[in-house]
Amino acid sequence: RAQASRRTEQASRHADLVEERDRLARERDARLSLVSRVTRDRVFGGQARLELSTAEGLLDRAISSLPGGASISQAVSRRPGLPFARHRRRLPPPCDGAIEVPFGPRFDEEAQIAVFHKGIDVRAPAGAPVRAIFDGTVVFTGIHPGYGDIVIVDHGDEYFSLAAHLSRTDVQIGDAVTMGQSIGAVGDSGSFKGAYLYFEIRHKSRPVNPLLWFRRGTRS
């Protein structure tokens, strides 16, 4: 009976050891999987940042080459004699949504570097309408690396607005647009983080803070 009792106890301890071994193996596999995923995400994130940096440079050059200042005369302006520059804090936002990433410098925690955001990211559902913020003329539509489908509107006096990551565009180059007119829809083309609108305002090809131009009370 004593031997049988010892055998039973040994079998129980063996079963406990096997269970503990399996638990440790599962934890090890989970840690390895996590390390692999983090490493993969860091590599992907680094590649994404490099691609976006390259895309920003290409976009800067493309906007710099746009002819600005005269095409507003082709648009149907609701405000004769009042140029874009006179509408600071009076313009409507391009779409309804929360401003997820504001304009200006910020610190990239993952990369541990300071970056400058030249526009704003507006979180909005896919398909939500994107509207012209002011009268103007469409000077570019099409796909741009890193930004997906974009629309650039010339508002005169070398002011431009840019809407990116669209799911569709409702205008063509040369079209005159008026404030509030639909120019496209929110999408995820060229996006690394799902559907949202990337939006810029530029003056003489230099980015300016769109929030300083929108009506007071715009969601942030």
mmCIF file of all heavy atoms in Angstrom, residues 46-87:
data_model
loop_
_atom_site.group_PDB
_atom_site.id
_atom_site.type_symbol
_atom_site.label_atom_id
_atom_site.label_comp_id
_atom_site.label_asym_id
_atom_site.label_seq_id
_atom_site.Cartn_x
_atom_site.Cartn_y
_atom_site.Cartn_z
ATOM 1 N N GLY A 46 9.355 51.766 -39.939
ATOM 2 C CA GLY A 46 10.490 52.482 -40.504
ATOM 3 C C GLY A 46 10.369 52.637 -42.000
ATOM 4 O O GLY A 46 10.639 53.709 -42.553
ATOM 5 N N GLN A 47 9.935 51.568 -42.683
ATOM 6 C CA GLN A 47 9.748 51.642 -44.125
ATOM 7 C C GLN A 47 8.640 52.630 -44.468
ATOM 8 O O GLN A 47 8.753 53.411 -45.421
ATOM 9 C CB GLN A 47 9.410 50.250 -44.674
ATOM 10 C CG GLN A 47 10.568 49.262 -44.602
ATOM 11 C CD GLN A 47 10.146 47.868 -45.014
ATOM 12 O OE1 GLN A 47 8.964 47.528 -45.015
ATOM 13 N NE2 GLN A 47 11.111 47.040 -45.357
ATOM 14 N N ALA A 48 7.569 52.584 -43.665
ATOM 15 C CA ALA A 48 6.448 53.490 -43.923
ATOM 16 C C ALA A 48 6.876 54.940 -43.761
ATOM 17 O O ALA A 48 6.522 55.801 -44.575
ATOM 18 C CB ALA A 48 5.285 53.176 -42.971
ATOM 19 N N ARG A 49 7.647 55.235 -42.696
ATOM 20 C CA ARG A 49 8.109 56.601 -42.490
ATOM 21 C C ARG A 49 9.026 57.053 -43.617
ATOM 22 O O ARG A 49 8.964 58.208 -44.060
ATOM 23 C CB ARG A 49 8.824 56.712 -41.141
ATOM 24 C CG ARG A 49 7.889 56.801 -39.946
ATOM 25 C CD ARG A 49 8.653 57.115 -38.680
ATOM 26 N NE ARG A 49 9.525 56.028 -38.287
ATOM 27 C CZ ARG A 49 9.163 54.992 -37.557
ATOM 28 N NH1 ARG A 49 7.912 54.886 -37.148
ATOM 29 N NH2 ARG A 49 10.020 54.050 -37.226
ATOM 30 N N LEU A 50 9.882 56.147 -44.097
ATOM 31 C CA LEU A 50 10.772 56.487 -45.204
ATOM 32 C C LEU A 50 9.962 56.775 -46.460
ATOM 33 O O LEU A 50 10.221 57.747 -47.180
ATOM 34 C CB LEU A 50 11.756 55.343 -45.454
ATOM 35 C CG LEU A 50 12.740 55.536 -46.612
ATOM 36 C CD1 LEU A 50 13.604 56.774 -46.381
ATOM 37 C CD2 LEU A 50 13.614 54.295 -46.787
ATOM 38 N N GLU A 51 8.962 55.918 -46.723
ATOM 39 C CA GLU A 51 8.129 56.119 -47.908
ATOM 40 C C GLU A 51 7.357 57.434 -47.816
ATOM 41 O O GLU A 51 7.239 58.170 -48.794
ATOM 42 C CB GLU A 51 7.163 54.946 -48.057
ATOM 43 C CG GLU A 51 7.839 53.637 -48.447
ATOM 44 C CD GLU A 51 6.871 52.480 -48.472
ATOM 45 O OE1 GLU A 51 5.661 52.710 -48.288
ATOM 46 O OE2 GLU A 51 7.315 51.335 -48.671
ATOM 47 N N LEU A 52 6.825 57.736 -46.615
ATOM 48 C CA LEU A 52 6.068 58.967 -46.452
ATOM 49 C C LEU A 52 6.973 60.191 -46.579
ATOM 50 O O LEU A 52 6.573 61.213 -47.133
ATOM 51 C CB LEU A 52 5.368 58.974 -45.090
ATOM 52 C CG LEU A 52 4.148 58.060 -44.967
ATOM 53 C CD1 LEU A 52 3.619 58.063 -43.545
ATOM 54 C CD2 LEU A 52 3.050 58.481 -45.945
ATOM 55 N N SER A 53 8.196 60.078 -46.064
ATOM 56 C CA SER A 53 9.141 61.183 -46.195
ATOM 57 C C SER A 53 9.456 61.449 -47.664
ATOM 58 O O SER A 53 9.495 62.609 -48.112
ATOM 59 C CB SER A 53 10.427 60.861 -45.424
ATOM 60 O OG SER A 53 11.368 61.888 -45.581
ATOM 61 N N THR A 54 9.655 60.378 -48.418
ATOM 62 C CA THR A 54 9.901 60.514 -49.854
ATOM 63 C C THR A 54 8.691 61.110 -50.547
ATOM 64 O O THR A 54 8.816 62.000 -51.399
ATOM 65 C CB THR A 54 10.234 59.143 -50.465
ATOM 66 O OG1 THR A 54 11.383 58.592 -49.811
ATOM 67 C CG2 THR A 54 10.515 59.273 -51.955
ATOM 68 N N ALA A 55 7.496 60.627 -50.152
ATOM 69 C CA ALA A 55 6.259 61.125 -50.755
ATOM 70 C C ALA A 55 6.064 62.606 -50.452
ATOM 71 O O ALA A 55 5.617 63.371 -51.313
ATOM 72 C CB ALA A 55 5.065 60.324 -50.244
ATOM 73 N N GLU A 56 6.400 63.030 -49.232
ATOM 74 C CA GLU A 56 6.287 64.444 -48.874
ATOM 75 C C GLU A 56 7.163 65.307 -49.777
ATOM 76 O O GLU A 56 6.743 66.374 -50.223
ATOM 77 C CB GLU A 56 6.689 64.662 -47.417
ATOM 78 C CG GLU A 56 5.630 64.269 -46.421
ATOM 79 C CD GLU A 56 6.041 64.612 -45.003
ATOM 80 O OE1 GLU A 56 7.125 65.200 -44.829
ATOM 81 O OE2 GLU A 56 5.290 64.288 -44.078
ATOM 82 N N GLY A 57 8.390 64.841 -50.015
ATOM 83 C CA GLY A 57 9.285 65.594 -50.885
ATOM 84 C C GLY A 57 8.737 65.717 -52.297
ATOM 85 O O GLY A 57 8.795 66.799 -52.905
ATOM 86 N N LEU A 58 8.191 64.620 -52.809
ATOM 87 C CA LEU A 58 7.605 64.645 -54.154
ATOM 88 C C LEU A 58 6.407 65.584 -54.200
ATOM 89 O O LEU A 58 6.225 66.328 -55.173
ATOM 90 C CB LEU A 58 7.174 63.223 -54.557
ATOM 91 C CG LEU A 58 8.302 62.211 -54.791
ATOM 92 C CD1 LEU A 58 7.711 60.821 -55.010
ATOM 93 C CD2 LEU A 58 9.150 62.619 -55.985
ATOM 94 N N LEU A 59 5.581 65.553 -53.138
ATOM 95 C CA LEU A 59 4.411 66.420 -53.100
ATOM 96 C C LEU A 59 4.825 67.887 -53.016
ATOM 97 O O LEU A 59 4.238 68.743 -53.689
ATOM 98 C CB LEU A 59 3.522 66.058 -51.907
ATOM 99 C CG LEU A 59 2.195 66.827 -51.805
ATOM 100 C CD1 LEU A 59 1.318 66.527 -53.010
ATOM 101 C CD2 LEU A 59 1.473 66.462 -50.519
ATOM 102 N N ASP A 60 5.827 68.181 -52.204
ATOM 103 C CA ASP A 60 6.317 69.558 -52.099
ATOM 104 C C ASP A 60 6.731 70.091 -53.463
ATOM 105 O O ASP A 60 6.401 71.223 -53.838
ATOM 106 C CB ASP A 60 7.502 69.634 -51.135
ATOM 107 C CG ASP A 60 7.084 69.447 -49.684
ATOM 108 O OD1 ASP A 60 5.877 69.553 -49.407
ATOM 109 O OD2 ASP A 60 7.962 69.177 -48.846
ATOM 110 N N ARG A 61 7.476 69.266 -54.208
ATOM 111 C CA ARG A 61 7.941 69.702 -55.528
ATOM 112 C C ARG A 61 6.774 69.864 -56.495
ATOM 113 O O ARG A 61 6.755 70.796 -57.310
ATOM 114 C CB ARG A 61 8.965 68.701 -56.081
ATOM 115 C CG ARG A 61 10.304 68.763 -55.358
ATOM 116 C CD ARG A 61 11.385 68.023 -56.114
ATOM 117 N NE ARG A 61 11.178 66.582 -56.096
ATOM 118 C CZ ARG A 61 11.604 65.779 -55.127
ATOM 119 N NH1 ARG A 61 12.237 66.286 -54.082
ATOM 120 N NH2 ARG A 61 11.405 64.475 -55.186
ATOM 121 N N ALA A 62 5.793 68.952 -56.378
ATOM 122 C CA ALA A 62 4.633 69.034 -57.276
ATOM 123 C C ALA A 62 3.836 70.308 -57.021
ATOM 124 O O ALA A 62 3.424 70.999 -57.962
ATOM 125 C CB ALA A 62 3.744 67.800 -57.079
ATOM 126 N N ILE A 63 3.628 70.645 -55.744
ATOM 127 C CA ILE A 63 2.866 71.851 -55.420
ATOM 128 C C ILE A 63 3.646 73.107 -55.809
ATOM 129 O O ILE A 63 3.078 74.085 -56.300
ATOM 130 C CB ILE A 63 2.505 71.868 -53.924
ATOM 131 C CG1 ILE A 63 1.501 70.744 -53.622
ATOM 132 C CG2 ILE A 63 1.919 73.215 -53.511
ATOM 133 C CD1 ILE A 63 1.125 70.627 -52.162
ATOM 134 N N SER A 64 4.965 73.062 -55.611
ATOM 135 C CA SER A 64 5.790 74.214 -55.970
ATOM 136 C C SER A 64 5.724 74.524 -57.462
ATOM 137 O O SER A 64 5.900 75.677 -57.880
ATOM 138 C CB SER A 64 7.248 73.977 -55.567
ATOM 139 O OG SER A 64 7.369 73.853 -54.169
ATOM 140 N N SER A 65 5.470 73.492 -58.253
ATOM 141 C CA SER A 65 5.441 73.685 -59.708
ATOM 142 C C SER A 65 4.071 74.116 -60.221
ATOM 143 O O SER A 65 3.926 74.425 -61.408
ATOM 144 C CB SER A 65 5.850 72.384 -60.414
ATOM 145 O OG SER A 65 4.872 71.365 -60.209
ATOM 146 N N LEU A 66 3.054 74.149 -59.336
ATOM 147 C CA LEU A 66 1.715 74.524 -59.774
ATOM 148 C C LEU A 66 1.650 76.020 -60.041
ATOM 149 O O LEU A 66 2.175 76.819 -59.261
ATOM 150 C CB LEU A 66 0.672 74.163 -58.713
ATOM 151 C CG LEU A 66 0.404 72.668 -58.497
ATOM 152 C CD1 LEU A 66 -0.513 72.477 -57.292
ATOM 153 C CD2 LEU A 66 -0.229 72.043 -59.738
ATOM 154 N N PRO A 67 0.989 76.422 -61.124
ATOM 155 C CA PRO A 67 0.808 77.859 -61.360
ATOM 156 C C PRO A 67 -0.280 78.381 -60.432
ATOM 157 O O PRO A 67 -1.400 77.886 -60.449
ATOM 158 C CB PRO A 67 0.368 77.918 -62.828
ATOM 159 C CG PRO A 67 -0.298 76.592 -63.063
ATOM 160 C CD PRO A 67 0.418 75.595 -62.197
ATOM 161 N N GLY A 68 0.006 79.353 -59.596
ATOM 162 C CA GLY A 68 -0.995 79.852 -58.660
ATOM 163 C C GLY A 68 -1.256 81.328 -58.837
ATOM 164 O O GLY A 68 -0.450 82.061 -59.396
ATOM 165 N N GLY A 69 -2.410 81.763 -58.333
ATOM 166 C CA GLY A 69 -2.686 83.181 -58.251
ATOM 167 C C GLY A 69 -3.695 83.715 -59.240
ATOM 168 O O GLY A 69 -4.381 84.681 -58.956
ATOM 169 N N ALA A 70 -3.832 83.089 -60.419
ATOM 170 C CA ALA A 70 -4.718 83.676 -61.421
ATOM 171 C C ALA A 70 -5.994 82.873 -61.619
ATOM 172 O O ALA A 70 -7.011 83.420 -62.026
ATOM 173 C CB ALA A 70 -3.978 83.793 -62.757
ATOM 174 N N SER A 71 -5.953 81.590 -61.325
ATOM 175 C CA SER A 71 -7.071 80.737 -61.723
ATOM 176 C C SER A 71 -8.341 80.990 -60.938
ATOM 177 O O SER A 71 -9.409 80.565 -61.349
ATOM 178 C CB SER A 71 -6.691 79.260 -61.575
ATOM 179 O OG SER A 71 -6.368 78.959 -60.236
ATOM 180 N N ILE A 72 -8.261 81.721 -59.798
ATOM 181 C CA ILE A 72 -9.477 81.996 -59.056
ATOM 182 C C ILE A 72 -10.457 82.810 -59.881
ATOM 183 O O ILE A 72 -11.664 82.748 -59.698
ATOM 184 C CB ILE A 72 -9.149 82.733 -57.732
ATOM 185 C CG1 ILE A 72 -10.382 82.822 -56.819
ATOM 186 C CG2 ILE A 72 -8.617 84.123 -57.994
ATOM 187 C CD1 ILE A 72 -10.899 81.517 -56.346
ATOM 188 N N SER A 73 -9.952 83.567 -60.857
ATOM 189 C CA SER A 73 -10.824 84.366 -61.702
ATOM 190 C C SER A 73 -11.713 83.488 -62.568
ATOM 191 O O SER A 73 -12.741 83.937 -63.069
ATOM 192 C CB SER A 73 -9.997 85.295 -62.594
ATOM 193 O OG SER A 73 -9.166 84.534 -63.459
ATOM 194 N N GLN A 74 -11.344 82.217 -62.745
ATOM 195 C CA GLN A 74 -12.150 81.298 -63.545
ATOM 196 C C GLN A 74 -13.304 80.725 -62.733
ATOM 197 O O GLN A 74 -14.238 80.175 -63.276
ATOM 198 C CB GLN A 74 -11.280 80.153 -64.053
ATOM 199 C CG GLN A 74 -10.092 80.600 -64.878
ATOM 200 C CD GLN A 74 -9.153 79.458 -65.158
ATOM 201 O OE1 GLN A 74 -9.524 78.300 -65.046
ATOM 202 N NE2 GLN A 74 -7.921 79.775 -65.516
ATOM 203 N N ALA A 75 -13.218 80.810 -61.382
ATOM 204 C CA ALA A 75 -14.230 80.214 -60.531
ATOM 205 C C ALA A 75 -15.403 81.165 -60.345
ATOM 206 O O ALA A 75 -15.296 82.374 -60.532
ATOM 207 C CB ALA A 75 -13.629 79.857 -59.170
ATOM 208 N N VAL A 76 -16.534 80.593 -59.955
ATOM 209 C CA VAL A 76 -17.707 81.394 -59.632
ATOM 210 C C VAL A 76 -17.571 81.828 -58.184
ATOM 211 O O VAL A 76 -17.855 81.083 -57.262
ATOM 212 C CB VAL A 76 -19.005 80.586 -59.836
ATOM 213 C CG1 VAL A 76 -20.212 81.434 -59.495
ATOM 214 C CG2 VAL A 76 -19.091 80.072 -61.259
ATOM 215 N N SER A 77 -17.102 83.018 -57.947
ATOM 216 C CA SER A 77 -16.855 83.485 -56.586
ATOM 217 C C SER A 77 -18.112 84.098 -55.983
ATOM 218 O O SER A 77 -18.787 84.906 -56.607
ATOM 219 C CB SER A 77 -15.724 84.520 -56.569
ATOM 220 O OG SER A 77 -15.544 84.999 -55.258
ATOM 221 N N ARG A 78 -18.423 83.695 -54.771
ATOM 222 C CA ARG A 78 -19.569 84.247 -54.054
ATOM 223 C C ARG A 78 -19.202 85.550 -53.341
ATOM 224 O O ARG A 78 -20.053 86.209 -52.786
ATOM 225 C CB ARG A 78 -20.068 83.236 -53.014
ATOM 226 C CG ARG A 78 -20.575 81.933 -53.597
ATOM 227 C CD ARG A 78 -20.943 80.992 -52.474
ATOM 228 N NE ARG A 78 -21.419 79.709 -52.974
ATOM 229 C CZ ARG A 78 -21.702 78.682 -52.207
ATOM 230 N NH1 ARG A 78 -21.556 78.772 -50.896
ATOM 231 N NH2 ARG A 78 -22.132 77.549 -52.723
ATOM 232 N N ARG A 79 -17.920 85.858 -53.290
ATOM 233 C CA ARG A 79 -17.455 86.992 -52.502
ATOM 234 C C ARG A 79 -16.554 87.900 -53.346
ATOM 235 O O ARG A 79 -15.355 87.932 -53.128
ATOM 236 C CB ARG A 79 -16.685 86.498 -51.271
ATOM 237 C CG ARG A 79 -17.514 85.578 -50.426
ATOM 238 C CD ARG A 79 -16.648 84.690 -49.550
ATOM 239 N NE ARG A 79 -17.439 83.601 -49.049
ATOM 240 C CZ ARG A 79 -17.743 82.520 -49.750
ATOM 241 N NH1 ARG A 79 -17.299 82.371 -50.972
ATOM 242 N NH2 ARG A 79 -18.497 81.573 -49.221
ATOM 243 N N PRO A 80 -17.106 88.613 -54.297
ATOM 244 C CA PRO A 80 -16.259 89.469 -55.133
ATOM 245 C C PRO A 80 -15.527 90.494 -54.280
ATOM 246 O O PRO A 80 -16.113 91.153 -53.422
ATOM 247 C CB PRO A 80 -17.264 90.132 -56.085
ATOM 248 C CG PRO A 80 -18.586 90.013 -55.397
ATOM 249 C CD PRO A 80 -18.529 88.740 -54.631
ATOM 250 N N GLY A 81 -14.230 90.606 -54.519
ATOM 251 C CA GLY A 81 -13.432 91.571 -53.788
ATOM 252 C C GLY A 81 -12.891 91.069 -52.471
ATOM 253 O O GLY A 81 -12.119 91.763 -51.819
ATOM 254 N N LEU A 82 -13.288 89.877 -52.048
ATOM 255 C CA LEU A 82 -12.786 89.312 -50.802
ATOM 256 C C LEU A 82 -11.962 88.072 -51.114
ATOM 257 O O LEU A 82 -12.498 86.994 -51.329
ATOM 258 C CB LEU A 82 -13.944 88.941 -49.859
ATOM 259 C CG LEU A 82 -14.712 90.105 -49.232
ATOM 260 C CD1 LEU A 82 -15.824 89.576 -48.342
ATOM 261 C CD2 LEU A 82 -13.771 91.002 -48.434
ATOM 262 N N PRO A 83 -10.656 88.197 -51.154
ATOM 263 C CA PRO A 83 -9.801 87.048 -51.489
ATOM 264 C C PRO A 83 -9.732 86.052 -50.341
ATOM 265 O O PRO A 83 -10.198 86.303 -49.220
ATOM 266 C CB PRO A 83 -8.440 87.705 -51.740
ATOM 267 C CG PRO A 83 -8.462 88.936 -50.887
ATOM 268 C CD PRO A 83 -9.884 89.417 -50.921
ATOM 269 N N PHE A 84 -9.125 84.923 -50.621
ATOM 270 C CA PHE A 84 -8.990 83.856 -49.636
ATOM 271 C C PHE A 84 -8.383 84.376 -48.340
ATOM 272 O O PHE A 84 -8.830 84.028 -47.240
ATOM 273 C CB PHE A 84 -8.119 82.738 -50.224
ATOM 274 C CG PHE A 84 -7.979 81.528 -49.342
ATOM 275 C CD1 PHE A 84 -8.871 80.474 -49.441
ATOM 276 C CD2 PHE A 84 -6.937 81.430 -48.427
ATOM 277 C CE1 PHE A 84 -8.738 79.356 -48.634
ATOM 278 C CE2 PHE A 84 -6.791 80.315 -47.623
ATOM 279 C CZ PHE A 84 -7.700 79.272 -47.726
ATOM 280 N N ALA A 85 -7.357 85.202 -48.440
ATOM 281 C CA ALA A 85 -6.642 85.675 -47.258
ATOM 282 C C ALA A 85 -7.533 86.437 -46.286
ATOM 283 O O ALA A 85 -7.217 86.544 -45.100
ATOM 284 C CB ALA A 85 -5.466 86.550 -47.677
ATOM 285 N N ARG A 86 -8.675 86.966 -46.774
ATOM 286 C CA ARG A 86 -9.574 87.728 -45.913
ATOM 287 C C ARG A 86 -10.558 86.835 -45.157
ATOM 288 O O ARG A 86 -11.401 87.336 -44.410
ATOM 289 C CB ARG A 86 -10.362 88.734 -46.771
ATOM 290 C CG ARG A 86 -9.516 89.800 -47.435
ATOM 291 C CD ARG A 86 -9.107 90.871 -46.450
ATOM 292 N NE ARG A 86 -10.267 91.534 -45.874
ATOM 293 C CZ ARG A 86 -10.921 92.523 -46.452
ATOM 294 N NH1 ARG A 86 -10.524 92.977 -47.645
ATOM 295 N NH2 ARG A 86 -11.956 93.076 -45.857
ATOM 296 N N HIS A 87 -10.448 85.525 -45.342
ATOM 297 C CA HIS A 87 -11.415 84.610 -44.728
ATOM 298 C C HIS A 87 -10.804 83.766 -43.618
ATOM 299 O O HIS A 87 -11.282 82.680 -43.310
ATOM 300 C CB HIS A 87 -12.040 83.715 -45.805
ATOM 301 C CG HIS A 87 -13.026 84.442 -46.657
ATOM 302 N ND1 HIS A 87 -12.621 85.236 -47.702
ATOM 303 C CD2 HIS A 87 -14.375 84.529 -46.596
ATOM 304 C CE1 HIS A 87 -13.693 85.771 -48.279
ATOM 305 N NE2 HIS A 87 -14.757 85.362 -47.620
#
